Amino acid sequence: MPKITDEIIVRGNRIKNRIVMPPMYTFSFKGDSGSFFGRQHIKHYTARAQGGAGLIILQSARVHGSMNSTKLWSADNTSVLKQIADGCHAYGAKVMMQLSCNDTDINLLSIDVIKQTQQEMKQAAVVACSLGFDGVEYHCAHGYFLCKFFDADYNKREDAYGKNAEGRVRILTEIIPEIRKETNDKFIISARMGKFEPAENDGIEAAKALEKAGLDMLHISWGMKMPKGQAPDGFICSYMTYNAYEIKKEVSIPIIAVNEIRTAEQAKFIIENGYADFAAVGRGMLADAEFANHIINNEPVNKCFGCYENIVNKCSWFTDHTKCPARN
Ligand SMILES: Cc1cc2nc3c(=O)[nH]c(=O)nc-3n(C[C@H](O)[C@H](O)[C@H](O)COP(=O)(O)O)c2cc1C
């Protein structure tokens, strides 16, 4: 079985260990002179790369504007994004962008709007590649736009973008060959999704359809709602991380597990028992930028206080990161 410190190759990219910083929106960060991203972001992400994470996935970024270099894709922002990618690479981490779409009722969308959205999704990946990112993760989790397409209960479309697992993930799979044409051979295309409790096979079928279409990696979080259930006795991590294992059993592409992994023991448990290929440490890495190095070197971590359990708006990083009790 692999060790947490073992490298892994994903689409020709050598990722130096199994510890991932998952996407986390930095709500209270400020850009510089009107830009969305700024020096604060460069410092934040570079510090986690210096802190030893093998792979860093940036906070969610909307794809809209990628076609005409407006909004988040303006020159001010993309120059900062490039510095983030370069800063992470300087410390040997691989770095990807998370891409998301404006949330809306997907059942009412015309084919024209779907096609337009797909072009923006593709172009955002092409720009991310040109800025030096190693890949992109499409945000198909947490009840948002792409998640709604993936979810069998929500997606009631009767056209090619619904009806069965292949149809529900088509909004993403259709653009994979197009992205490949305009990015380098090593560019990673990944997705974050849930396992879709209680219709658990829906998530597995979606994962299989994505793998078949050439997706490189999957990050398993939650879908339309938080999964309710219990991991088997002896499984020392959360039920959500167990969901990652249930998907891993069914596909061969690398799987990232996430949720409440806060200790070296838990991270090692996931990797060293083959439950997932990567352990993502979210709030733990907000509380301790050196989290990865600390667990690799058997040093104590500066632990996240776990200010929320299931209630999203209690972690102070959602409102004002300076109030995070772990910073003191
Ligand atoms: C402040 C904050 C912002 C987040 N922003 C995002 C985001 O942009 N995209 C996303 O997919 N998940 C987001 N998440 C969820 C995390 O990626 C992660 O799945 C979650 O925190 C559970 O992992 P943890 O228990 O290790 O923190 C966010 C979480 C936090 C705490």
Short mmCIF file of all heavy atoms in Angstrom, two decimals, residues 90-154:
data_model
loop_
_atom_site.label_atom_id
_atom_site.label_comp_id
_atom_site.label_asym_id
_atom_site.label_seq_id
_atom_site.Cartn_x
_atom_site.Cartn_y
_atom_site.Cartn_z
N ALA A 90 7.24 26.91 -7.43
CA ALA A 90 8.58 27.16 -6.88
C ALA A 90 8.84 26.27 -5.66
O ALA A 90 10.00 25.96 -5.34
CB ALA A 90 8.72 28.63 -6.50
N TYR A 91 7.76 25.84 -4.98
CA TYR A 91 7.94 24.96 -3.82
C TYR A 91 7.62 23.50 -4.16
O TYR A 91 7.41 22.67 -3.27
CB TYR A 91 7.08 25.45 -2.65
CG TYR A 91 7.63 26.73 -2.07
CD1 TYR A 91 7.04 27.95 -2.35
CD2 TYR A 91 8.78 26.72 -1.28
CE1 TYR A 91 7.56 29.13 -1.84
CE2 TYR A 91 9.31 27.89 -0.76
CZ TYR A 91 8.70 29.09 -1.05
OH TYR A 91 9.24 30.25 -0.55
N GLY A 92 7.52 23.21 -5.44
CA GLY A 92 7.38 21.80 -5.85
C GLY A 92 5.97 21.26 -5.78
O GLY A 92 5.76 20.06 -5.90
N ALA A 93 4.98 22.15 -5.58
CA ALA A 93 3.59 21.67 -5.58
C ALA A 93 3.01 21.77 -6.98
O ALA A 93 3.42 22.61 -7.77
CB ALA A 93 2.75 22.53 -4.63
N LYS A 94 2.08 20.90 -7.28
CA LYS A 94 1.27 21.05 -8.50
C LYS A 94 0.07 21.90 -8.11
O LYS A 94 -0.36 21.90 -6.94
CB LYS A 94 0.82 19.69 -9.04
CG LYS A 94 1.98 18.82 -9.48
CD LYS A 94 2.68 19.40 -10.71
CE LYS A 94 3.88 18.58 -11.13
NZ LYS A 94 4.76 19.28 -12.05
N VAL A 95 -0.47 22.61 -9.09
CA VAL A 95 -1.54 23.56 -8.74
C VAL A 95 -2.60 23.58 -9.83
O VAL A 95 -2.29 23.59 -11.02
CB VAL A 95 -0.93 24.95 -8.43
CG1 VAL A 95 -0.09 25.48 -9.57
CG2 VAL A 95 -1.99 25.96 -8.04
N MET A 96 -3.86 23.53 -9.38
CA MET A 96 -4.98 23.51 -10.31
C MET A 96 -5.97 24.60 -9.93
O MET A 96 -6.00 25.05 -8.79
CB MET A 96 -5.70 22.14 -10.24
CG MET A 96 -4.81 21.00 -10.67
SD MET A 96 -5.48 19.33 -10.42
CE MET A 96 -7.15 19.44 -10.98
N MET A 97 -6.80 24.99 -10.90
CA MET A 97 -7.89 25.94 -10.59
C MET A 97 -9.19 25.17 -10.47
O MET A 97 -9.42 24.23 -11.22
CB MET A 97 -8.05 26.96 -11.72
CG MET A 97 -7.02 28.06 -11.70
SD MET A 97 -7.41 29.33 -12.94
CE MET A 97 -8.72 30.26 -12.09
N GLN A 98 -10.04 25.57 -9.53
CA GLN A 98 -11.40 25.03 -9.52
C GLN A 98 -12.30 25.96 -10.32
O GLN A 98 -12.25 27.18 -10.14
CB GLN A 98 -11.96 24.90 -8.10
CG GLN A 98 -13.30 24.15 -8.13
CD GLN A 98 -14.03 24.08 -6.80
OE1 GLN A 98 -14.29 25.12 -6.18
NE2 GLN A 98 -14.39 22.89 -6.38
N LEU A 99 -13.09 25.40 -11.21
CA LEU A 99 -13.95 26.20 -12.09
C LEU A 99 -15.42 25.91 -11.81
O LEU A 99 -15.81 24.75 -11.68
CB LEU A 99 -13.64 25.89 -13.55
CG LEU A 99 -12.20 26.19 -14.01
CD1 LEU A 99 -12.00 25.74 -15.46
CD2 LEU A 99 -11.86 27.67 -13.86
N SER A 100 -16.20 26.97 -11.71
CA SER A 100 -17.63 26.79 -11.43
C SER A 100 -18.46 27.66 -12.37
O SER A 100 -17.92 28.51 -13.08
CB SER A 100 -17.94 27.14 -9.97
OG SER A 100 -17.57 28.49 -9.73
N CYS A 101 -19.78 27.45 -12.36
CA CYS A 101 -20.69 28.19 -13.25
C CYS A 101 -21.72 28.91 -12.38
O CYS A 101 -22.01 28.48 -11.27
CB CYS A 101 -21.42 27.23 -14.17
SG CYS A 101 -20.32 26.22 -15.17
N ASN A 102 -22.32 29.96 -12.95
CA ASN A 102 -23.40 30.64 -12.23
C ASN A 102 -24.51 29.66 -11.94
O ASN A 102 -24.88 28.86 -12.81
CB ASN A 102 -23.98 31.76 -13.10
CG ASN A 102 -23.05 32.96 -13.14
OD1 ASN A 102 -22.16 33.10 -12.30
ND2 ASN A 102 -23.25 33.82 -14.12
N ASP A 103 -25.04 29.74 -10.74
CA ASP A 103 -26.06 28.78 -10.33
C ASP A 103 -27.42 29.20 -10.89
O ASP A 103 -27.79 30.36 -10.85
CB ASP A 103 -26.10 28.72 -8.80
CG ASP A 103 -26.76 27.45 -8.33
OD1 ASP A 103 -26.82 26.49 -9.12
OD2 ASP A 103 -27.23 27.43 -7.18
N THR A 104 -28.14 28.23 -11.43
CA THR A 104 -29.48 28.51 -11.96
C THR A 104 -30.23 27.18 -12.08
O THR A 104 -29.64 26.13 -11.86
CB THR A 104 -29.38 29.23 -13.33
OG1 THR A 104 -30.68 29.48 -13.81
CG2 THR A 104 -28.64 28.41 -14.35
N ASP A 105 -31.52 27.25 -12.44
CA ASP A 105 -32.29 26.01 -12.59
C ASP A 105 -31.94 25.36 -13.92
O ASP A 105 -32.33 25.85 -14.98
CB ASP A 105 -33.79 26.31 -12.52
CG ASP A 105 -34.60 25.03 -12.53
OD1 ASP A 105 -34.03 23.95 -12.83
OD2 ASP A 105 -35.80 25.09 -12.21
N ILE A 106 -31.22 24.29 -13.86
CA ILE A 106 -30.71 23.66 -15.10
C ILE A 106 -31.82 23.01 -15.92
O ILE A 106 -31.64 22.74 -17.10
CB ILE A 106 -29.59 22.64 -14.79
CG1 ILE A 106 -30.11 21.51 -13.87
CG2 ILE A 106 -28.41 23.32 -14.12
CD1 ILE A 106 -30.27 20.22 -14.56
N ASN A 107 -32.96 22.79 -15.30
CA ASN A 107 -34.05 22.15 -16.04
C ASN A 107 -34.69 23.10 -17.05
O ASN A 107 -35.37 22.67 -17.97
CB ASN A 107 -35.11 21.62 -15.08
CG ASN A 107 -34.58 20.41 -14.31
OD1 ASN A 107 -33.97 19.53 -14.89
ND2 ASN A 107 -34.80 20.40 -13.00
N LEU A 108 -34.47 24.41 -16.85
CA LEU A 108 -35.12 25.39 -17.72
C LEU A 108 -34.18 25.90 -18.82
O LEU A 108 -34.58 26.71 -19.65
CB LEU A 108 -35.60 26.58 -16.88
CG LEU A 108 -36.54 26.23 -15.71
CD1 LEU A 108 -36.84 27.47 -14.88
CD2 LEU A 108 -37.83 25.62 -16.25
N LEU A 109 -32.95 25.44 -18.84
CA LEU A 109 -31.95 26.02 -19.76
C LEU A 109 -32.16 25.57 -21.20
O LEU A 109 -32.40 24.38 -21.46
CB LEU A 109 -30.55 25.58 -19.36
CG LEU A 109 -29.93 26.20 -18.12
CD1 LEU A 109 -28.50 25.72 -17.98
CD2 LEU A 109 -29.99 27.71 -18.18
N SER A 110 -32.01 26.51 -22.14
CA SER A 110 -32.07 26.14 -23.57
C SER A 110 -30.74 25.50 -23.96
O SER A 110 -29.71 25.70 -23.29
CB SER A 110 -32.31 27.38 -24.41
OG SER A 110 -31.16 28.22 -24.34
N ILE A 111 -30.76 24.75 -25.04
CA ILE A 111 -29.53 24.13 -25.54
C ILE A 111 -28.50 25.22 -25.88
O ILE A 111 -27.31 25.05 -25.61
CB ILE A 111 -29.82 23.27 -26.80
CG1 ILE A 111 -30.74 22.10 -26.44
CG2 ILE A 111 -28.54 22.79 -27.47
CD1 ILE A 111 -30.09 20.95 -25.72
N ASP A 112 -28.98 26.34 -26.39
CA ASP A 112 -28.05 27.43 -26.72
C ASP A 112 -27.28 27.90 -25.50
O ASP A 112 -26.07 28.14 -25.56
CB ASP A 112 -28.81 28.64 -27.29
CG ASP A 112 -29.18 28.42 -28.75
OD1 ASP A 112 -28.73 27.41 -29.32
OD2 ASP A 112 -29.92 29.25 -29.30
N VAL A 113 -27.98 28.04 -24.37
CA VAL A 113 -27.31 28.49 -23.15
C VAL A 113 -26.33 27.42 -22.65
O VAL A 113 -25.22 27.72 -22.21
CB VAL A 113 -28.33 28.87 -22.04
CG1 VAL A 113 -27.63 29.20 -20.73
CG2 VAL A 113 -29.19 30.05 -22.49
N ILE A 114 -26.72 26.16 -22.78
CA ILE A 114 -25.80 25.08 -22.38
C ILE A 114 -24.53 25.15 -23.24
O ILE A 114 -23.41 25.08 -22.72
CB ILE A 114 -26.48 23.70 -22.50
CG1 ILE A 114 -27.58 23.57 -21.45
CG2 ILE A 114 -25.46 22.56 -22.34
CD1 ILE A 114 -28.33 22.26 -21.45
N LYS A 115 -24.71 25.31 -24.52
CA LYS A 115 -23.54 25.35 -25.44
C LYS A 115 -22.64 26.55 -25.12
O LYS A 115 -21.41 26.44 -25.12
CB LYS A 115 -24.00 25.45 -26.91
CG LYS A 115 -24.76 24.22 -27.38
CD LYS A 115 -23.81 23.09 -27.74
CE LYS A 115 -24.56 21.82 -28.12
NZ LYS A 115 -23.83 20.59 -27.89
N GLN A 116 -23.26 27.68 -24.82
CA GLN A 116 -22.50 28.88 -24.47
C GLN A 116 -21.71 28.64 -23.16
O GLN A 116 -20.52 28.96 -23.07
CB GLN A 116 -23.46 30.07 -24.31
CG GLN A 116 -22.87 31.33 -23.71
CD GLN A 116 -21.87 32.00 -24.63
OE1 GLN A 116 -21.85 31.73 -25.83
NE2 GLN A 116 -21.00 32.85 -24.07
N THR A 117 -22.39 28.03 -22.19
CA THR A 117 -21.73 27.74 -20.91
C THR A 117 -20.56 26.79 -21.13
O THR A 117 -19.47 26.96 -20.56
CB THR A 117 -22.73 27.13 -19.92
OG1 THR A 117 -23.86 28.00 -19.84
CG2 THR A 117 -22.13 26.94 -18.54
N GLN A 118 -20.76 25.79 -21.98
CA GLN A 118 -19.66 24.84 -22.25
C GLN A 118 -18.46 25.55 -22.87
O GLN A 118 -17.31 25.22 -22.54
CB GLN A 118 -20.15 23.75 -23.22
CG GLN A 118 -21.06 22.73 -22.55
CD GLN A 118 -21.51 21.68 -23.56
OE1 GLN A 118 -22.04 22.02 -24.63
NE2 GLN A 118 -21.32 20.41 -23.24
N GLN A 119 -18.73 26.52 -23.75
CA GLN A 119 -17.61 27.26 -24.35
C GLN A 119 -16.85 28.04 -23.28
O GLN A 119 -15.62 28.12 -23.31
CB GLN A 119 -18.11 28.19 -25.47
CG GLN A 119 -18.50 27.45 -26.74
CD GLN A 119 -17.44 26.43 -27.17
OE1 GLN A 119 -16.29 26.77 -27.39
NE2 GLN A 119 -17.82 25.16 -27.26
N GLU A 120 -17.59 28.61 -22.33
CA GLU A 120 -16.93 29.35 -21.24
C GLU A 120 -16.16 28.39 -20.33
O GLU A 120 -15.04 28.69 -19.89
CB GLU A 120 -17.98 30.13 -20.44
CG GLU A 120 -18.58 31.28 -21.25
CD GLU A 120 -19.75 31.96 -20.54
OE1 GLU A 120 -20.62 31.27 -19.97
OE2 GLU A 120 -19.80 33.20 -20.56
N MET A 121 -16.74 27.22 -20.10
CA MET A 121 -16.05 26.21 -19.28
C MET A 121 -14.74 25.79 -19.94
O MET A 121 -13.70 25.65 -19.29
CB MET A 121 -16.94 24.97 -19.09
CG MET A 121 -18.13 25.19 -18.18
SD MET A 121 -19.35 23.84 -18.32
CE MET A 121 -18.43 22.45 -17.63
N LYS A 122 -14.81 25.58 -21.25
CA LYS A 122 -13.62 25.15 -21.99
C LYS A 122 -12.57 26.27 -21.99
O LYS A 122 -11.40 26.05 -21.68
CB LYS A 122 -14.00 24.81 -23.43
CG LYS A 122 -12.85 24.28 -24.24
CD LYS A 122 -12.99 24.55 -25.72
CE LYS A 122 -12.49 25.94 -26.06
NZ LYS A 122 -12.53 26.29 -27.47
N GLN A 123 -13.02 27.49 -22.31
CA GLN A 123 -12.07 28.59 -22.44
C GLN A 123 -11.37 28.88 -21.10
O GLN A 123 -10.17 29.19 -21.07
CB GLN A 123 -12.79 29.85 -22.96
CG GLN A 123 -11.88 31.02 -23.26
CD GLN A 123 -10.80 30.70 -24.29
OE1 GLN A 123 -10.95 29.77 -25.09
NE2 GLN A 123 -9.71 31.44 -24.25
N ALA A 124 -12.12 28.76 -20.00
CA ALA A 124 -11.50 28.98 -18.69
C ALA A 124 -10.35 27.99 -18.47
O ALA A 124 -9.28 28.35 -17.95
CB ALA A 124 -12.55 28.85 -17.59
N ALA A 125 -10.55 26.74 -18.90
CA ALA A 125 -9.49 25.74 -18.76
C ALA A 125 -8.30 26.09 -19.65
O ALA A 125 -7.14 25.97 -19.24
CB ALA A 125 -10.03 24.36 -19.13
N VAL A 126 -8.59 26.56 -20.86
CA VAL A 126 -7.51 26.92 -21.79
C VAL A 126 -6.69 28.08 -21.20
O VAL A 126 -5.46 28.06 -21.23
CB VAL A 126 -8.10 27.28 -23.17
CG1 VAL A 126 -7.04 27.84 -24.11
CG2 VAL A 126 -8.78 26.05 -23.80
N VAL A 127 -7.38 29.06 -20.62
CA VAL A 127 -6.65 30.18 -20.01
C VAL A 127 -5.84 29.69 -18.81
O VAL A 127 -4.66 30.04 -18.65
CB VAL A 127 -7.62 31.32 -19.59
CG1 VAL A 127 -6.86 32.44 -18.88
CG2 VAL A 127 -8.37 31.88 -20.79
N ALA A 128 -6.46 28.84 -17.98
CA ALA A 128 -5.74 28.30 -16.80
C ALA A 128 -4.45 27.62 -17.25
O ALA A 128 -3.38 27.80 -16.66
CB ALA A 128 -6.63 27.33 -16.03
N CYS A 129 -4.53 26.86 -18.33
CA CYS A 129 -3.34 26.17 -18.85
C CYS A 129 -2.30 27.20 -19.30
O CYS A 129 -1.11 27.08 -18.98
CB CYS A 129 -3.76 25.25 -20.00
SG CYS A 129 -2.40 24.31 -20.68
N SER A 130 -2.76 28.24 -19.98
CA SER A 130 -1.81 29.24 -20.49
C SER A 130 -1.14 30.00 -19.34
O SER A 130 -0.04 30.53 -19.50
CB SER A 130 -2.50 30.20 -21.46
OG SER A 130 -3.32 31.09 -20.72
N LEU A 131 -1.80 30.05 -18.19
CA LEU A 131 -1.22 30.77 -17.04
C LEU A 131 -0.24 29.88 -16.25
O LEU A 131 0.38 30.32 -15.30
CB LEU A 131 -2.33 31.24 -16.10
CG LEU A 131 -3.31 32.26 -16.69
CD1 LEU A 131 -4.46 32.52 -15.73
CD2 LEU A 131 -2.59 33.57 -17.03
N GLY A 132 -0.16 28.61 -16.63
CA GLY A 132 0.79 27.71 -15.98
C GLY A 132 0.18 26.73 -15.00
O GLY A 132 0.90 25.98 -14.34
N PHE A 133 -1.15 26.73 -14.88
CA PHE A 133 -1.77 25.75 -13.98
C PHE A 133 -1.64 24.35 -14.57
O PHE A 133 -1.60 24.17 -15.79
CB PHE A 133 -3.25 26.10 -13.74
CG PHE A 133 -3.40 27.29 -12.82
CD1 PHE A 133 -3.46 28.58 -13.32
CD2 PHE A 133 -3.44 27.10 -11.44
CE1 PHE A 133 -3.55 29.67 -12.47
CE2 PHE A 133 -3.53 28.20 -10.58
CZ PHE A 133 -3.59 29.48 -11.10
N ASP A 134 -1.56 23.37 -13.68
CA ASP A 134 -1.37 21.98 -14.12
C ASP A 134 -2.68 21.31 -14.48
O ASP A 134 -2.68 20.20 -15.01
CB ASP A 134 -0.67 21.18 -13.00
CG ASP A 134 0.67 21.78 -12.66
OD1 ASP A 134 1.57 21.73 -13.52
OD2 ASP A 134 0.81 22.36 -11.55
N GLY A 135 -3.79 21.96 -14.13
CA GLY A 135 -5.07 21.35 -14.47
C GLY A 135 -6.21 22.16 -13.90
O GLY A 135 -6.01 23.22 -13.29
N VAL A 136 -7.41 21.65 -14.15
CA VAL A 136 -8.61 22.28 -13.60
C VAL A 136 -9.50 21.22 -12.97
O VAL A 136 -9.48 20.05 -13.37
CB VAL A 136 -9.44 23.04 -14.68
CG1 VAL A 136 -8.76 24.33 -15.08
CG2 VAL A 136 -9.75 22.17 -15.88
N GLU A 137 -10.26 21.68 -11.98
CA GLU A 137 -11.27 20.82 -11.34
C GLU A 137 -12.61 21.50 -11.55
O GLU A 137 -12.80 22.64 -11.08
CB GLU A 137 -10.97 20.69 -9.85
CG GLU A 137 -12.08 19.99 -9.07
CD GLU A 137 -11.82 19.93 -7.57
OE1 GLU A 137 -11.07 19.03 -7.15
OE2 GLU A 137 -12.36 20.78 -6.82
N TYR A 138 -13.53 20.86 -12.24
CA TYR A 138 -14.87 21.44 -12.40
C TYR A 138 -15.67 21.16 -11.13
O TYR A 138 -15.69 20.03 -10.63
CB TYR A 138 -15.56 20.86 -13.65
CG TYR A 138 -14.96 21.45 -14.89
CD1 TYR A 138 -13.98 20.77 -15.61
CD2 TYR A 138 -15.31 22.72 -15.32
CE1 TYR A 138 -13.38 21.33 -16.74
CE2 TYR A 138 -14.72 23.30 -16.45
CZ TYR A 138 -13.76 22.60 -17.15
OH TYR A 138 -13.17 23.17 -18.25
N HIS A 139 -16.32 22.21 -10.65
CA HIS A 139 -17.06 22.10 -9.39
C HIS A 139 -18.46 21.52 -9.67
O HIS A 139 -19.38 22.24 -10.04
CB HIS A 139 -17.17 23.50 -8.77
CG HIS A 139 -17.62 23.52 -7.34
ND1 HIS A 139 -18.12 22.41 -6.69
CD2 HIS A 139 -17.63 24.52 -6.42
CE1 HIS A 139 -18.42 22.74 -5.44
NE2 HIS A 139 -18.13 24.02 -5.25
N CYS A 140 -18.56 20.22 -9.52
CA CYS A 140 -19.82 19.52 -9.79
C CYS A 140 -20.40 19.01 -8.46
O CYS A 140 -21.05 17.95 -8.41
CB CYS A 140 -19.60 18.36 -10.74
SG CYS A 140 -18.61 18.78 -12.19
N ALA A 141 -20.11 19.75 -7.38
CA ALA A 141 -20.54 19.31 -6.04
C ALA A 141 -21.36 20.42 -5.37
O ALA A 141 -21.63 21.46 -5.97
CB ALA A 141 -19.31 18.98 -5.19
N HIS A 142 -21.78 20.16 -4.16
CA HIS A 142 -22.35 21.14 -3.23
C HIS A 142 -23.61 21.84 -3.75
O HIS A 142 -23.87 22.99 -3.41
CB HIS A 142 -21.29 22.19 -2.84
CG HIS A 142 -20.03 21.56 -2.28
ND1 HIS A 142 -18.90 22.27 -1.99
CD2 HIS A 142 -19.75 20.27 -1.95
CE1 HIS A 142 -17.97 21.45 -1.53
NE2 HIS A 142 -18.46 20.22 -1.48
N GLY A 143 -24.36 21.12 -4.60
CA GLY A 143 -25.67 21.62 -5.01
C GLY A 143 -25.66 22.70 -6.07
O GLY A 143 -26.72 23.22 -6.44
N TYR A 144 -24.48 23.07 -6.57
CA TYR A 144 -24.43 24.14 -7.58
C TYR A 144 -24.77 23.61 -8.97
O TYR A 144 -25.07 22.44 -9.17
CB TYR A 144 -23.05 24.82 -7.57
CG TYR A 144 -22.74 25.52 -6.27
CD1 TYR A 144 -21.65 25.15 -5.49
CD2 TYR A 144 -23.56 26.55 -5.80
CE1 TYR A 144 -21.37 25.78 -4.29
CE2 TYR A 144 -23.27 27.19 -4.61
CZ TYR A 144 -22.18 26.80 -3.85
OH TYR A 144 -21.91 27.43 -2.67
N PHE A 145 -24.63 24.51 -9.94
CA PHE A 145 -25.05 24.29 -11.33
C PHE A 145 -24.68 22.90 -11.89
O PHE A 145 -25.56 22.12 -12.29
CB PHE A 145 -24.40 25.42 -12.15
CG PHE A 145 -24.72 25.43 -13.60
CD1 PHE A 145 -25.89 26.02 -14.07
CD2 PHE A 145 -23.84 24.88 -14.52
CE1 PHE A 145 -26.17 26.06 -15.43
CE2 PHE A 145 -24.11 24.92 -15.87
CZ PHE A 145 -25.27 25.51 -16.32
N LEU A 146 -23.40 22.57 -11.92
CA LEU A 146 -23.01 21.29 -12.55
C LEU A 146 -23.48 20.11 -11.71
O LEU A 146 -23.78 19.04 -12.24
CB LEU A 146 -21.49 21.25 -12.77
CG LEU A 146 -20.96 22.26 -13.79
CD1 LEU A 146 -19.42 22.31 -13.78
CD2 LEU A 146 -21.45 21.93 -15.20
N CYS A 147 -23.54 20.31 -10.41
CA CYS A 147 -24.04 19.28 -9.50
C CYS A 147 -25.49 18.94 -9.84
O CYS A 147 -25.91 17.78 -9.83
CB CYS A 147 -23.93 19.79 -8.07
SG CYS A 147 -24.35 18.63 -6.79
N LYS A 148 -26.26 19.97 -10.15
CA LYS A 148 -27.68 19.77 -10.49
C LYS A 148 -27.82 18.93 -11.76
O LYS A 148 -28.73 18.10 -11.86
CB LYS A 148 -28.37 21.13 -10.68
CG LYS A 148 -28.57 21.88 -9.38
CD LYS A 148 -29.15 23.26 -9.66
CE LYS A 148 -29.44 24.00 -8.37
NZ LYS A 148 -29.68 25.42 -8.60
N PHE A 149 -26.93 19.16 -12.72
CA PHE A 149 -26.95 18.32 -13.92
C PHE A 149 -26.68 16.87 -13.54
O PHE A 149 -27.36 15.95 -14.01
CB PHE A 149 -25.86 18.77 -14.91
CG PHE A 149 -26.34 19.80 -15.90
CD1 PHE A 149 -26.11 21.14 -15.67
CD2 PHE A 149 -27.01 19.42 -17.05
CE1 PHE A 149 -26.54 22.10 -16.58
CE2 PHE A 149 -27.45 20.37 -17.97
CZ PHE A 149 -27.21 21.72 -17.72
N PHE A 150 -25.67 16.65 -12.68
CA PHE A 150 -25.24 15.29 -12.35
C PHE A 150 -26.30 14.53 -11.55
O PHE A 150 -26.31 13.31 -11.56
CB PHE A 150 -23.96 15.35 -11.49
CG PHE A 150 -22.70 15.56 -12.26
CD1 PHE A 150 -22.68 16.22 -13.50
CD2 PHE A 150 -21.48 15.12 -11.75
CE1 PHE A 150 -21.50 16.42 -14.19
CE2 PHE A 150 -20.29 15.30 -12.44
CZ PHE A 150 -20.30 15.96 -13.66
N ASP A 151 -27.14 15.26 -10.82
CA ASP A 151 -28.02 14.60 -9.84
C ASP A 151 -29.31 14.07 -10.49
O ASP A 151 -30.09 14.82 -11.07
CB ASP A 151 -28.39 15.59 -8.74
CG ASP A 151 -29.15 14.91 -7.62
OD1 ASP A 151 -28.51 14.16 -6.86
OD2 ASP A 151 -30.38 15.09 -7.54
N ALA A 152 -29.52 12.78 -10.34
CA ALA A 152 -30.67 12.12 -10.99
C ALA A 152 -31.99 12.64 -10.45
O ALA A 152 -32.98 12.72 -11.19
CB ALA A 152 -30.57 10.62 -10.80
N ASP A 153 -32.03 13.03 -9.18
CA ASP A 153 -33.29 13.54 -8.62
C ASP A 153 -33.59 14.93 -9.16
O ASP A 153 -34.73 15.28 -9.39
CB ASP A 153 -33.18 13.65 -7.09
CG ASP A 153 -33.48 12.32 -6.44
OD1 ASP A 153 -33.99 11.42 -7.15
OD2 ASP A 153 -33.18 12.17 -5.24
N TYR A 154 -32.55 15.74 -9.31
CA TYR A 154 -32.77 17.13 -9.72
C TYR A 154 -32.93 17.26 -11.24
O TYR A 154 -33.79 18.00 -11.72
CB TYR A 154 -31.59 18.02 -9.26
CG TYR A 154 -31.93 19.49 -9.37
CD1 TYR A 154 -32.38 20.20 -8.26
CD2 TYR A 154 -31.85 20.15 -10.59
CE1 TYR A 154 -32.74 21.54 -8.37
CE2 TYR A 154 -32.20 21.48 -10.71
CZ TYR A 154 -32.64 22.17 -9.59
OH TYR A 154 -32.99 23.48 -9.71
#
